[in-house]
Amino acid sequence: MKRKEKCEYGYVRSQKKRMLFGALLMTAIGVAIFILGLLLNKFEKANVFTIIAVLFVLPMARYLTSWIVLLPFRTPEEALYERVKEQMPEGAVLLSDYVFTSGERVMGLAFLVLTDNEYIGLAARKNEKLPKMKEYLSDALKKRAIPGKLVLCGGEEEFLAKLKKVPEVKKTKEERQELLDFLRSLSV
């Protein structure tokens, strides 16, 4: 199975599986090394294998933390993904499974469509605080001197209606590469 890149459809689902597998693997390796140390040292815990086993807690904690951060988020349904792709204007760029963090909270957008000078997003969760999310992303774009209007929607129908109103996009993906790189750098 090909590894999903940030902001690609299916990224959240894929990352949750990878992070959980990584945490379980690091735990299993640490436990195996600890048991091996006990067997080789007449069941005495004070040995170098115990230290090595304890060090496996660090990568396990990193994997587990990433999994916990992504746990409340879901990859959108494929039917919705297809509807969004159909509604997108020609030349627009679609980011999906967009989860990002501020200093205060973890936020997520199911989709973010980049047009010429307008960025239209759909909240990943019903209880997402759209004003805080909009403020954070707008400030980040302003700091990078990236022009454009950010519009965030709480519901699918509102999002799809806004997509229908967007005119044809003139900028190419290459022209928007700096914006894409920046938005991907914000994501988890």
Side-chain angles (χ1 to χ4, degrees), residues 43-176:
F43 291 94
E44 289 191 28
K45 294 178 194 171
N47 63 61
V48 72
F49 290 98
T50 301
I51 295 169
I52 294 170
V54 168
L55 290 176
F56 272 87
V57 170
L58 297 172
M60 183 275 300
R62 187 185 76 71
Y63 281 115
L64 194 57
T65 302
S66 296
W67 180 75
I68 290 169
V69 165
L70 290 174
L71 192 59
F73 297 96
R74 306 266 182 269
T75 293
E77 295 176 21
E78 193 165 352
L80 177 59
Y81 175 69
E82 293 300 327
R83 282 179 55 200
V84 169
K85 282 181 67 173
E86 289 172 9
Q87 296 293 329
M88 280 178 39
E90 186 72 31
V93 176
L94 176 64
L95 303 179
S96 180
D97 295 26
Y98 188 56
V99 178
F100 53 98
T101 60
S102 71
E104 302 164 2
R105 64 175 42 91
V106 180
M107 301 168 275
L109 294 172
F111 302 106
L112 182 61
V113 176
L114 311 176
T115 64
D116 283 335
N117 287 315
E118 190 172 32
Y119 317 120
I120 306 166
L122 173 63
R125 302 180 291 182
K126 299 255 186 258
N127 61 350
E128 203 69 73
K129 295 183 174 155
L130 292 179
K132 293 276 187 192
M133 189 184 312
K134 184 175 182 177
E135 178 185 350
Y136 174 75
L137 285 175
S138 295
D139 288 347
L141 292 170
K142 283 179 190 172
K143 287 178 185 174
R144 290 289 291 231
I146 297 173
K149 178 183 172 191
L150 179 64
V151 178
L152 299 181
C153 305
E156 296 171 14
E157 297 309 317
E158 176 189 5
F159 176 70
L160 292 171
K162 288 202 186 299
L163 280 183
K164 284 182 185 177
K165 296 178 184 176
V166 175
E168 185 178 327
V169 177
K170 293 176 178 60
K171 289 183 181 177
T172 64
K173 187 175 180 179
E174 290 75 27
E175 291 175 314
R176 241 183 269 107

